[in-house]
Amino acid sequence: MKIADEPRNRVSWRTAERFKKFELLPNDIVCVRTGAQQQPALVSGPQTGWLLSSNVTRLRVCAGAGIDPLHLHAYRGLRHAREWMSHRAAATVAPSLSSVAPGHLPVRYPTTGQRRRCVDLLGELGRRVDAHASYVTALGRPKTPLTSVLRGGGTPESV
């Protein structure tokens, strides 16, 4: 999951000050609360200070807890962790996860070296997935103009 910057969903500074306790900080983990469980998103510098929507929940590792937020983010994104969350979501029209459920997810911690290596490799794989997704998006851009040509709205050379 990615954290999207939606200009139309902004609040005033005055409103933001009232909800300061909901501001995002670097390494917060943002998870879907309502709907299908998806990959969580990790907050980076540019999202610092943003506010959460009501459809997501934030996991924050307490300072001094001895937990690596990058490992927790990667672990929370595993299929079995998402399924674990899905099974705990209330069975309503749109499944909804309580705010305390994510805190009960059992998490395994390999050695520090293994954890760091896995997180680094998963980060690299994520960057490659993002690069390939951008490539696929770029390849799809000429499709609409070419479809227009097929319907008689121009020539292939104009695309």
Side-chain angles (χ1 to χ4, degrees), residues 40-131:
L42 187 67
V43 176
S44 63
Q47 293 108 19
T48 299
W50 290 11
L51 295 175
L52 297 170
S53 79
S54 59
N55 188 39
V56 296
T57 189
R58 171 191 66 203
L59 301 175
R60 180 174 289 159
V61 174
C62 296
I67 298 171
D68 181 353
L70 300 176
H71 173 260
L72 183 58
H73 171 255
Y75 193 89
R76 177 61 184 79
L78 297 174
R79 179 182 298 167
H80 86 85
R82 291 193 320 271
E83 288 173 356
W84 189 93
M85 292 294 175
S86 292
H87 292 357
R88 277 141 189 88
T92 58
V93 174
S96 181
L97 195 62
S98 75
S99 61
V100 297
H104 295 287
L105 172 69
V107 178
R108 293 195 170 95
Y109 283 92
T111 67
T112 302
Q114 290 172 327
R115 245 188 353 249
R116 177 61 29 216
R117 182 75 177 134
C118 286
V119 167
D120 290 347
L121 288 170
L122 286 169
E124 179 58 30
L125 286 171
R127 285 186 289 280
R128 290 180 185 201
V129 165
D130 290 346

Side-chain angles (χ1 to χ4, degrees), residues 1-11 24 46-51:
M1 178 172 77
K2 299 278 185 206
I3 300 174
D5 184 5
E6 296 288 335
R8 68 179 188 276
N9 294 336
R10 304 262 169 105
V11 296
L24 295 176
Q47 293 108 19
T48 299
W50 290 11
L51 295 175

